[in-house]
Amino acid sequence: MSDSHTPRPARCELSQRFYFEAAHTLERSIDAEGSRRIHGHTYHAEVTLLGNPDPASGMLVDLAYLRREVERLRDRLDHRFLDEVAGLGPATLENLCAFIRADLEPAFPQLCAVSVERQASGDRCRLSW
């Protein structure tokens, strides 16, 4: 007896991690003194794409293309004063996630999540949709 059930295509997640080092200031109501002074962090970010791999290539996207776009974005953030990055707003983890999404989503409509963390302090934000 043959099984006529055809498996549906598997959805896959493909992620790329990167880091950047940057300085900023931040107006806040608690722990304000240190935040208002220029200070820096090492940020670790991850972008995740979700979808069905192309049947012919077996790829969701070509990783070389994803890496190229991530490197272009990284150049906009690495060793920068984030207060001066157009379109970012206050340099919060939440705004960094939204900024990365806005930058990469036109090239990657499969983008489904962005996370940014500061490992040294244990802070992390994940934006997913």
Side-chain angles (χ1 to χ4, degrees):
M1 219 159 75
S2 68
D3 184 357
S4 63
H5 174 72
T6 304
R8 62 187 170 110
R11 292 173 63 81
C12 77
E13 286 188 5
L14 182 66
S15 296
Q16 179 69 46
R17 293 183 183 144
F18 64 101
Y19 76 94
F20 57 96
E21 306 205 24
H24 72 111
T25 62
L26 191 61
E27 288 293 325
R28 9 180 349 186
S29 58
I30 189 167
D31 294 332
E33 184 181 335
S35 295
R36 289 183 181 137
R37 288 194 303 261
I38 296 174
H39 62 284
H41 303 282
T42 299
Y43 295 92
H44 293 264
E46 181 176 66
V47 296
T48 302
L49 311 180
L50 174 67
N52 296 323
D54 178 83
S57 69
M59 295 185 280
L60 180 60
V61 299
D62 187 322
L63 276 173
Y65 181 57
L66 179 58
R67 287 185 188 123
R68 183 181 73 196
E69 291 300 306
V70 164
E71 187 58 30
R72 179 193 54 75
L73 167 65
R74 186 176 178 274
D75 281 346
R76 294 182 66 193
L77 300 170
D78 192 40
H79 287 87
R80 306 288 180 182
F81 184 49
L82 297 178
D83 296 34
E84 298 174 349
V85 173
L88 176 59
T92 63
L93 293 175
E94 298 88 344
N95 283 345
L96 282 163
C97 284
F99 180 84
I100 292 168
R101 176 186 182 180
D103 187 88
L104 292 177
E105 199 168 39
F108 302 104
Q110 316 92 318
L111 189 65
C112 70
V114 174
S115 64
V116 176
E117 68 180 301
R118 295 183 312 223
Q119 292 178 342
S121 58
D123 303 324
R124 180 174 187 259
C125 179
R126 179 174 170 90
L127 176 68
S128 57
W129 54 97

